[in-house]
Amino acid sequence: MTELGQYLANGLVSGAIYVLVALGLAIVFSTLDVVNFAHGQLFMLGGYAAYVCVVSLDLPYLLSLPVAALVLAVVGLVIERLVFRPLYDRPHLDMILVSVGLIQIFQYGASWIWGIEAREVPTGMGPSVEILGTGMFLSRERLLLIAVATLLIPVVALLLQRTLFGKALHAIADDEEGAATVGIHRPTFASLAFIAGAALAGLAGALLAPISLVSPSSGAEVVIKAFVILIVGGIGSIRGAISAGVLLGLAEAVLGGYLGYRYVDVFAFGLVIIALIVRPQGLLGRATRPV
Amino acid sequence: MPDGQTADGQTAGPPNTKTLEVRRLTCGYGGRPVIFGVDLRVRGGECLAVLGSNGAGKSTLIRSIAGTLRPVLGGEVTVAGVQLARAGAAEVVRHAVRLVPEGRRLFPTMTVEENIELGGFTLRSKRDRGRRLAETLEAFPRLAERRRQLVGTLSGGERQMTAIARALMTDPDFLLLDEPSLGLAPKILLEIGELITGLKARGTGVVLVEQSVGLAELLAERYLLLSKGAVVARGDIADMADRTSMADAYLGQTAVSAAAHHPDRAADDPSSAGHDNPPPGGEHADLP
Amino acid sequence: MNTATLVHQRRHRLLVAVVPLALTLAAWAYLFTGMGDYGYTLIILIAINALMATSFNVVLGRAGQLSLAQAGVMGAGAYATGLLIVRGGYAPWPALVAAVLVGMVFAALTALPVLHLKGLYFAITTFAAGELVVIYLGIDEALTGGGMGLTGIAPLSPVHLGGRTLLDPLFPRDMAIVTSLALMLVTVLVALLARLRVGATWTATKDDETLAASLGVTPYRAKLTAIIVSGGIAGLAGGLYATYLQYLQPSQFDSWQSIMFLSMAVVGGLGRTYGPLAGAALLTLLSEWLRDLHLNDAAFILSGLALIAIVLVAPRGIVGELARAVPRLRPGASPREEVRPR
């Protein structure tokens, strides 16, 4: 029983990360109608931002979280302005291609600077904590991650669903021309979307860094999981993305725990293919976009 | 709104004495001009009809005035002397010029209320937006009933009403209507005509873009005929000489006048409701 | 587009084809005569990479579908060849033919269920399918050797003609000839297909699916044929790669490789006959040169930068921009306006 509990707790950790990354991906997607394939590398850079803060600059880990978010917000703004903005009126494929170029630049840039081997981010947060006398242990870093995600995810969801900012993003996704008519300036919102999306990815990367080490390739896998979540949850559906993310995290942890971790990715990739065949508008939510 | 009152009890202020003026406007797509040096002027309470056949450049002209088509290649757009030819759409909206675009351009996965509320995107405070939303819904009881419905579930006429209501959120001095009659039944057109007449009476200046003369005859004092991006005729709509031959020459519709006298021939075309592809001119709904 | 412009364009195409062909032959001759085994190795790498870029060029450049399963398909072809040789005891040449067939079938199977989906969904599903291949190759240790790799793959056997050995691909020089011939054959075949009806259905589907359907083209069939052709090419590249390296590992075919091949296709010029070769040659030589300087990472960074720079400032790719520039040199000829759909 404690074994299952342990798996579920681990699943919650990865589920929380998936959701944070997927929400950022979705925010950018709503303004550009294009997925930024390099979003996972922003997550990876967030991990290195935390690493630099803690190891190179000797700052406390907790401080490295906002720093990572901030640094990545700047990176997001820069890539939107330099690379994506000139392509607004060009075919969608062009934006996908530059995002693929960014993957290479970020991933191998990180490998050049910090080397291929995984880096550890020590937090000095102390030993694992037993959960309410259940015999189950969770590291403090994991507890922090779950706590931050539990607070942040509803805030982001509310931001997207209730505020004028969120409604403007939704409007751009629904009808670009209509959005322009009411005075919504798409380039401004694309910048804001990149800032927000990259900051979320950076924060997620920094949160996971002490738990699973940082390496140049650590973003590759998580972004694919984020795609899986968005598709299974129904693109454009925030609630769908959140439930899909948590469920995928839990399912992977349980499957991985009992069957072996090599089958975990088979499950995720198989799931997205099945979802697209069976119900392309999303298994858990309803896509607001044409499929 | 019809009574000229706002919710907090103030009157709407002095009548609109502003003028929307367009001088030698040249604009188009990707640096290639489609509109060549067009002049027009509308005062508060007036309606100017911009007529022309499909592809004459009417939408290009009106979108350039509204700021949703940039850059402008030459000329001026001023409201009460303020230069807006280089301003973005939000800036134009803030200067009380609102566009109701061709094909409505509503947000299909949002409710009627959310659509209208977003019309007030440029309003600074949330309180203002809430107040204007309440007022606007009050002025459109039919939309108020359907406020929680997705706009995708509305009829063509209701969608057009929603688009107009969205534009009225900022209480504009000038309303630019791009083919509002598209695909609507005569009865609904009359309703929209009444609504716009009411707005004019309150001092709103209207630019009405139409392919056919029907709604324009009802609402406009003056007209401007556009062909291949240039003005080929203008004047009082009452003096519009020999309408049938003009329609022949520029609108590509021989049946304009005839259809105007046989409203039954032009039914509400459901396939084009809420759609941005204009139906062939001959099928067009006209007022009796 | 009327017939006159079409004929006009074809004449341009022919004219433009001469320049890269001459350049290629010159470069090939240089690598052959001047550099010994290293030159041959470069030719082999460029040819195999160019085959993969061609595979992308067919499905993306000509039919407009972003399939990210290409490296996975290559892996399927490579492992088919390797397994038939190592585990099945087949001769290498038939095993190479099998790679082509496996590539075609495999590409069709991955794409069939999702062909009706819009671009983004198609890209993500094919990405997942490609990754699944790599994962499977790693998991089934009994068959493939798993992450440890598949060893002992025999090189292509010598080709005899009238008692004399014509080619022995065990030697880099001969393998370079084999891969070059394969590339040439595939390039000519693709150029021919593009001029046939099937090629026209690809272009029509790429430009505007709805319009294509209204003109009697079945977009579904057009996409499927493009995917099968590109799958066959990827399978061939995989088979050649297996017999050349004589050793296979799943990670050689992950999605990062797909991205590299995609970059080559885009840098060279999507939809251009010589685009894949130009892109593969440039990026392969660049990365080999940087690898010699022990700057492996820089090679990938530069390929990323090249991809972005090409998309931003020269979206037609090297060959495409060249094609636009060449007619411009002649008086009276205006460059072709390409309208690219969103």
Side-chain angles (χ1 to χ4, degrees):
Chain A
M1 205 53 220
T2 38
E3 194 182 45
L4 181 65
Q6 198 74 52
Y7 292 151
L8 289 176
N10 289 343
L12 218 50
V13 168
S14 40
I17 290 296
Y18 295 161
V19 174
L20 286 175
V21 174
L23 286 180
L25 197 62
I27 292 173
V28 170
F29 183 66
S30 69
T31 57
L32 295 187
D33 203 20
V34 156
V35 289
N36 173 18
F37 275 86
H39 194 71
Q41 279 61 42
L42 300 176
F43 166 86
M44 174 268 293
L45 289 179
Y48 277 109
Y51 171 79
V52 169
C53 279
V54 172
V55 176
S56 313
L57 303 176
D58 217 9
L59 294 172
Y61 172 67
L62 281 179
L63 189 63
S64 80
L65 296 178
V67 170
L70 204 67
V71 168
L72 267 293
V74 173
V75 173
L77 179 66
V78 168
I79 60 174
E80 192 277 320
R81 285 286 162 93
L82 283 185
V83 177
F84 287 93
R85 185 162 295 194
L87 301 175
Y88 280 177
D89 296 325
R90 295 255 291 271
H92 278 163
L93 176 66
D94 287 1
M95 281 201 249
I96 294 178
L97 291 175
V98 294
S99 79
V100 165
L102 287 175
I103 293 180
Q104 290 175 310
I105 295 173
F106 288 147
Q107 179 152 338
Y108 294 98
S111 154
W112 199 1
I113 299 172
W114 293 289
I116 191 94
E117 61 281 353
R119 301 280 169 161
E120 209 172 322
V121 178
T123 61
M125 285 172 73
S128 295
V129 184
E130 188 180 355
I131 309 295
L132 306 169
T134 54
M136 240 172 71
F137 282 87
L138 264 187
S139 68
R140 287 168 201 253
E141 290 84 359
R142 279 165 210 261
L143 287 173
L144 175 73
L145 188 155
I146 292 172
V148 171
T150 313
L151 286 175
L152 196 59
I153 289 168
V155 169
V156 174
L158 280 178
L159 186 83
L160 292 177
Q161 287 169 326
R162 296 264 179 271
T163 65
L164 195 62
F165 170 75
K167 283 180 182 166
L169 290 181
H170 189 164
I172 295 170
D174 256 17
D175 192 314
E176 211 185 301
E177 179 76 23
T181 301
V182 302
I184 299 170
H185 190 235
R186 184 170 83 139
T188 306
F189 277 84
S191 286
L192 291 173
F194 261 93
I195 290 173
L200 275 178
L203 180 65
L207 280 170
L208 194 67
I211 298 168
S212 69
L213 311 182
V214 200
S215 75
S217 60
S218 46
E221 198 183 318
V222 79
V223 77
I224 298 307
K225 300 296 166 63
F227 286 141
V228 172
I229 287 160
L230 290 187
I231 287 172
V232 172
I235 285 192
S237 161
I238 294 161
R239 218 175 291 169
I242 294 173
S243 36
V246 174
L247 285 177
L248 181 69
L250 293 174
E252 280 188 353
V254 173
L255 270 176
Y258 289 113
L259 291 177
Y261 270 90
R262 52 174 42 171
Y263 294 100
V264 160
D265 288 345
V266 180
F267 174 72
F269 293 137
L271 186 67
V272 72
I273 293 174
I274 290 166
L276 282 174
I277 294 170
V278 177
R279 198 179 138 86
Q281 65 270 40
L283 290 176
L284 296 171
R286 194 165 182 77
T288 57
R289 298 299 189 94
V291 176
Chain B
M1 299 301 95
D3 59 358
Q5 293 268 318
T6 52
D8 44 8
Q10 293 175 323
T11 51
N16 177 14
T17 55
K18 292 180 188 167
T19 305
L20 168 65
E21 204 161 356
V22 172
R23 267 182 244 110
R24 295 182 305 282
L25 187 69
T26 298
C27 52
Y29 304 91
R32 203 174 296 170
V34 172
I35 292 289
F36 304 91
V38 167
D39 293 291
L40 65 84
R41 177 188 293 182
V42 198
R43 291 191 190 84
E46 271 185 357
C47 175
L48 170 74
V50 175
L51 304 170
S53 65
N54 203 358
K58 306 183 299 295
S59 287
T60 310
L61 171 65
I62 206 171
R63 289 184 57 215
S64 292
I65 299 173
T68 57
L69 184 65
R70 288 288 180 264
V72 156
L73 303 171
E76 297 176 358
V77 176
T78 56
V79 172
V82 179
Q83 180 62 253
L84 291 174
R86 264 121 212 121
E91 187 70 16
V92 176
V93 168
R94 278 191 209 101
H95 281 89
V97 179
R98 293 292 311 237
L99 170 68
V100 179
E102 186 183 357
R104 287 70 149 159
R105 294 305 196 166
L106 296 170
F107 308 119
T109 66
M110 292 192 208
T111 63
V112 172
E113 188 172 24
E114 287 173 316
N115 265 274
I116 297 174
E117 191 193 1
L118 271 171
F121 177 77
T122 50
L123 297 176
R124 293 262 153 73
S125 82
K126 200 175 173 176
R127 234 188 79 233
D128 282 355
R129 271 200 306 282
R131 179 173 58 79
R132 284 298 303 158
L133 179 63
E135 286 168 10
T136 309
L137 283 172
E138 200 179 319
F140 291 86
R142 194 136 53 104
L143 298 179
E145 274 172 39
R146 306 191 191 295
R147 60 202 288 174
R148 304 258 180 254
Q149 285 184 23
L150 294 183
V151 290
T153 65
L154 298 183
S155 72
E158 288 163 343
R159 284 187 213 186
Q160 188 61 61
M161 287 289 186
T162 310
I164 295 173
R166 183 174 74 177
L168 293 180
M169 269 293 283
T170 49
D171 202 4
D173 293 331
F174 295 95
L175 199 59
L176 316 173
L177 296 156
D178 197 348
E179 303 216 25
S181 72
L182 209 67
L184 297 185
K187 186 168 159 276
I188 293 160
L189 275 191
L190 271 181
E191 265 180 62
I192 288 178
E194 269 171 43
L195 172 71
I196 296 168
T197 308
L199 289 170
K200 278 175 64 188
R202 287 182 52 235
T204 309
V206 177
V207 178
L208 175 68
V209 163
E210 281 287 307
Q211 269 193 56
S212 53
V213 199
L215 195 59
E217 265 184 320
L218 188 74
L219 295 173
E221 293 81 28
R222 290 176 300 119
Y223 75 97
L224 179 156
L225 188 58
L226 215 56
S227 178
K228 291 174 184 161
V231 178
V232 288
R234 64 166 86 225
D236 283 357
I237 204 133
D239 303 341
M240 212 167 142
D242 194 0
R243 222 163 280 140
T244 317
S245 69
M246 186 172 286
D248 262 345
Y250 296 110
L251 303 180
Q253 298 169 261
T254 39
V256 168
S257 295
H261 298 294
H262 297 281
D264 299 354
R265 289 177 48 182
D268 193 350
D269 178 1
S271 68
S272 63
H275 210 270
D276 35 17
N277 294 327
E283 307 289 326
H284 227 97
D286 279 296
L287 285 170
Chain C
M1 200 185 286
N2 57 35
T3 332
T5 34
L6 267 177
V7 171
H8 191 56
Q9 276 173 23
R10 281 192 187 168
R11 232 176 258 158
H12 279 180
R13 281 256 175 113
L14 283 178
L15 187 82
V16 163
V18 177
V19 181
L21 193 64
L23 282 173
T24 313
L25 289 177
W28 245 234
Y30 172 72
L31 291 173
F32 250 93
T33 51
M35 302 184 74
D37 275 1
Y38 183 59
Y40 306 140
T41 311
L42 286 180
I43 289 183
I44 295 166
L45 285 177
I46 292 172
I48 290 174
N49 287 341
L51 279 173
M52 284 310 295
T54 306
S55 165
F56 266 110
N57 199 28
V58 169
V59 71
L60 178 63
R62 302 223 184 253
Q65 306 303 309
L66 180 57
S67 164
L68 292 173
Q70 298 313 99
V73 175
M74 180 192 188
Y79 268 88
T81 300
L83 290 171
L84 281 174
I85 296 171
V86 176
R87 306 259 192 267
Y90 283 83
W93 285 100
L96 184 64
V97 175
V100 179
L101 298 176
V102 166
M104 288 172 146
V105 172
F106 194 80
L109 284 181
T110 50
L112 257 180
V114 290
L115 262 186
H116 60 282
L117 296 175
K118 276 184 64 176
L120 162 72
Y121 295 86
F122 183 73
I124 290 173
T125 331
T126 47
F127 185 104
E131 285 296 293
L132 278 178
V133 177
V134 178
I135 295 168
Y136 170 76
L137 293 173
I139 287 177
D140 196 346
E141 282 172 358
L143 185 70
T144 64
M148 299 296 294
L150 182 69
T151 51
I153 302 167
L156 290 173
S157 36
V159 179
H160 303 288
L161 188 75
R164 277 184 51 225
T165 303
L166 198 64
L167 275 175
D168 187 353
L170 178 63
F171 299 108
R173 188 189 69 119
D174 292 12
M175 188 61 185
I177 292 174
V178 169
T179 50
S180 299
L181 284 175
L183 175 63
M184 223 153 81
L185 191 76
V186 164
T187 306
V188 169
L189 215 66
V190 168
L192 274 177
L193 279 178
R195 277 163 179 72
L196 294 178
R197 208 195 104 82
V198 63
T201 68
W202 293 347
T203 315
T205 305
K206 177 190 173 186
D207 287 349
D208 187 334
E209 252 181 68
T210 322
L211 185 65
S214 76
L215 294 173
V217 172
T218 319
Y220 191 85
R221 198 186 299 161
K223 292 188 216 169
L224 190 60
T225 49
I227 280 161
I228 291 175
V229 170
S230 78
I233 299 168
L236 174 66
L240 288 169
Y241 189 68
T243 57
Y244 166 64
L245 267 192
Q246 300 163 33
Y247 165 75
L248 291 175
Q249 232 184 346
S251 63
Q252 291 159 337
F253 307 104
D254 64 15
S255 302
W256 304 112
Q257 288 304 316
S258 275
I259 286 175
M260 197 71 195
F261 299 135
L262 174 64
S263 308
M264 291 172 182
V266 174
V267 168
L270 283 177
R272 293 287 168 176
T273 303
Y274 287 98
L277 176 58
L282 183 78
L283 290 185
T284 309
L285 292 176
L286 190 74
S287 73
E288 287 305 312
W289 173 61
L290 288 167
R291 206 163 290 176
D292 289 345
L293 301 174
H294 301 287
L295 293 171
N296 284 355
D297 294 329
F300 285 97
I301 296 170
L302 272 176
S303 108
L305 283 173
L307 180 60
I308 292 175
I310 287 281
V311 172
L312 284 178
V313 303
R316 291 166 192 84
I318 297 174
V319 175
E321 296 294 338
L322 206 76
R324 237 167 59 100
V326 171
R328 219 187 259 162
L329 302 176
R330 298 190 310 170
S334 63
R336 175 156 73 111
E337 273 300 322
E338 266 180 89
V339 180
R340 307 215 289 164
R342 278 171 76 92

